[in-house]
Each structure stands twice: as C-alpha cells, then as structure tokens.
Amino acid sequence: MFVYRLIFVLVAFAAALAGTPLAVAADTCANRGELDAMYCDVNKDLVADVPTDSKKWKNPSTIVFTYTPVEDPAVYENIFKPFTTYLSKCVDKKVVFYQVQSNAAEIEAMRSGRLHVAGFSTGPTAFAVNLAGAIPFAVKGTAKEFQGYNLIVIVKANSPYQKLSDLKGKKVAHTSPSSNSGHLAPLALFPKEGLTPDKDYKIIFSGKHDQSVMGVNSGDYDAGAVASDVFHRMAERGQVKESDFRIIYRSQKFLTSSFAYAHDLEPKLADKLLSCFYEYRFPPEMQKAFDGADRFFPINYKTTWEVVRQVASGSGQGFDRASYDKETAREKAEAAAKAKK
C-alpha cells in the first residue's frame, strides 16, 4: 500500500510540474502561498489545510515519531523513550521512533506519508511546512516561555581568531542547507560583521551540528556556525570541553525545534495528539537533556516562526522546492567530493 501511495504522490507532483490535468486540479486551490502544489491554504494561516475529502484522512494503527537529527538519532530515541511510552497509552496506539540521518530524509518521510509526528529543527520546520504539509504546534519550553537558542561561532581556544572578519579565507563549517543557525542565519547575519559566506570563505557542510563541533575540535575546521544548545549539551555529556573552545560570535535568540504533525491526519486524532503533547510533563532525565525545558509549549507557525522566515529572506533564501533542491544538491555534491578524498 505504501509503495502505491508513494508512486501516486510522485506522479501527482511530476504532473503538477508538467502542466497535466492533475496540475489543473491543483490550481483550483484558492490560495497556496509558498506551499507545494500538493497542498492548499484557503484560510491563509501559512500551513496546509486538512484535506476536504475525508477519505484522504489518515488514522494509522501505528504512530511514527522522530526528532531532528542535529545529533546522533540513537541518543534522542533513548531520551524520548519515556514520552513515546506515554504517547502510546495516551492515543491508544503503538508509537515507534523512526531514526532519520538528515533533515532532508525527515522532510521527505513526512511528505511521503511515512512519518506522522516529528520534531523539526528551526530552519527545516519551514521547509517541512511548505514541502511536506507539516503543521507545527509546539516547541520545548516552560510554563512561562518557549525555549530558544543562539547561533554561535566557535573556534579553538588557542586559535588566533577573535572576530568573524578574521575568518576570511579560512575553513568555516556550516551544518546543512536547511538549517537556520547552521546556514541560513549565517548567510543573513555574517555580512554585517564583515564576513560574507561563499565570498570571504567557501562554505563547507559538515552534515550536523555535532559534526561541526567535533570538526573544530579536531582541527578539520577553523570555525563552525552551530546552535548554542547543541554545543552546551555536547559539553554536558562529556563529548567536548567548553574550555577548549572560544565563542567569537553570538546572535539573537531563536526558537528551538518545533513539533509538527502531518496535515492529513484524521482531525480527531490530530486533536488527541495535541492534548497528549500539551498535558505531558518531562521527567527529570528529559529536563536535563533539554536544558531545563519541562513541557511542550504551544505555538502558532504564522506568528511564532515569522522571525525565522525573515532571516531566510534576508539571506536571499526561500523555503520553496527550488531553494530546497538547489541547496540539497549542493550538499550532496560536497559530500561526494569529501568521500573521494
């Protein structure tokens, strides 16, 4: 069944691009905004509407859940174990954690219908909304506020680099094309500090935040643009020592990863999932892993993610299919070049 559904999705998408009758059907949508041709946004809340045809609603016997692969997916499968056990009881369905190795793989999994609920990193959230029909509903937080992070640029403590402009011509690691702190924010913010990515230095994609940190630590990179929360968690776990690094740049506070569900879930199931998430309180081990956050804090994508969309716009990037494909192809080409070395 999954194979046939995936084939139909791919055929529909290709047909939309080619201008066949399927594309004509898609064009009956009154408003789409930046959403892919597979989705519609009549109420203009910037996320995909629930299908009007109830036959297209999904009510799976097993809920597939994952979390952004900013670090080793196996680490997060263990961290989220108390929650997935709770969620299974709450929705009265089997819940499985699906390990993904990249932001692209996570987005494509929801787009193809293999993923029902997921935590997406800040930048990939917008791509997931536009390309995979994701509907963000929460971020990690406390009773008072949502949890955030900063884009930081790290160098070795004994390095000569003191400011961003010192990195001209150096090896600077970005994480992945869809990452906010690992790529989009540097594109938008660094030029004001006297350093223009892809002009003053060649962008090197490490793949993940933890790989950028480890690369700076080993000397593979002179500097790395990473999320502050990932860096601090790695230090707390003993993977690196913060004293071995120096932070030469810190941005404003950004939202941390979002939690989103697939737009075509049966509405009653979606409502149940939301209530389960909002009512849950993190046990001590989860609070420690997530820097003191103790709950899923409700958010609205249109308003809460506005600053992220503004940063992307300022970097000259969009969250559409063309931008996604361009940067993902670039990332793959660079990874292939690395593999040949």
Side-chain angles (χ1 to χ4, degrees), residues 22-262:
L22 278 174
V24 175
D27 287 340
T28 61
C29 173
N31 179 70
R32 183 170 292 112
E34 292 188 338
L35 298 181
D36 195 76
M38 293 171 63
Y39 314 110
C40 195
D41 179 24
V42 174
N43 62 4
K44 298 184 179 181
D45 61 356
L46 304 189
V47 297
D49 296 334
V50 177
T52 54
D53 183 356
S54 61
K55 293 180 181 178
K56 296 181 179 179
W57 296 348
K58 295 176 182 175
N59 189 357
S61 58
T62 298
I63 299 295
V64 181
F65 170 78
T66 195
Y67 186 67
T68 172
V70 292
E71 299 168 71
D72 183 357
V75 170
Y76 285 105
E77 182 170 7
N78 292 329
I79 290 173
F80 276 102
K81 184 62 177 176
F83 172 68
T84 53
T85 298
Y86 152 84
L87 186 61
S88 178
K89 294 179 181 178
C90 189
V91 297
D92 194 25
K93 292 177 180 286
K94 182 179 180 180
V95 175
V96 297
F97 189 99
Y98 175 56
Q99 290 190 19
V100 291
Q101 300 299 323
S102 69
N103 293 320
E106 184 178 17
I107 291 168
E108 292 301 334
M110 181 165 283
R111 178 182 172 89
S112 66
R114 292 179 286 120
L115 181 63
H116 307 118
V117 189
F120 291 97
S121 290
T122 308
T125 288
F127 278 115
V129 166
N130 292 343
L131 304 181
I135 301 182
F137 61 89
V139 295
K140 298 184 295 293
T142 64
K144 294 182 179 180
E145 61 182 358
F146 65 81
Q147 189 180 68
Y149 70 94
N150 307 92
L151 152 62
I152 60 174
V153 176
I154 57 171
V155 298
K156 289 288 285 184
N158 59 2
S159 78
Y161 316 118
Q162 301 295 325
K163 56 186 184 299
L164 287 186
S165 58
D166 293 338
L167 298 175
K168 292 181 179 180
K170 306 304 178 183
K171 294 181 179 179
V172 182
H174 288 206
T175 59
S176 63
S178 60
S179 174
N180 179 65
S181 58
H183 183 57
L184 299 177
L187 292 179
L189 302 177
F190 284 6
K192 300 175 185 177
E193 305 295 326
L195 185 71
T196 302
D198 245 5
K199 177 183 178 183
D200 293 328
Y201 66 87
K202 180 182 178 181
I203 294 173
I204 304 172
F205 287 116
S206 69
K208 298 178 182 179
H209 289 264
D210 59 345
Q211 291 173 358
S212 286
V213 174
M214 298 305 292
V216 173
N217 192 48
S218 65
D220 291 338
Y221 311 125
D222 296 308
V226 298
S228 59
D229 56 343
V230 176
F231 176 64
H232 293 310
R233 283 199 299 268
M234 291 178 69
E236 289 178 357
R237 289 200 295 264
Q239 291 176 277
V240 294
K241 293 182 179 179
E242 288 196 48
S243 59
D244 288 340
F245 300 84
R246 186 160 22 87
I247 296 173
I248 63 171
Y249 175 82
R250 184 182 294 271
S251 76
Q252 68 189 75
K253 182 180 178 182
F254 289 109
L255 291 150
T256 187
S257 53
S258 74
F259 291 85
Y261 64 88

Side-chain angles (χ1 to χ4, degrees), residues 250-278:
R250 184 182 294 271
S251 76
Q252 68 189 75
K253 182 180 178 182
F254 289 109
L255 291 150
T256 187
S257 53
S258 74
F259 291 85
Y261 64 88
H263 80 294
D264 55 358
L265 290 185
E266 198 275 330
K268 289 184 178 180
L269 173 59
D271 289 344
K272 182 61 177 177
L273 281 169
L274 263 61
S275 65
C276 290
F277 269 78
Y278 294 150

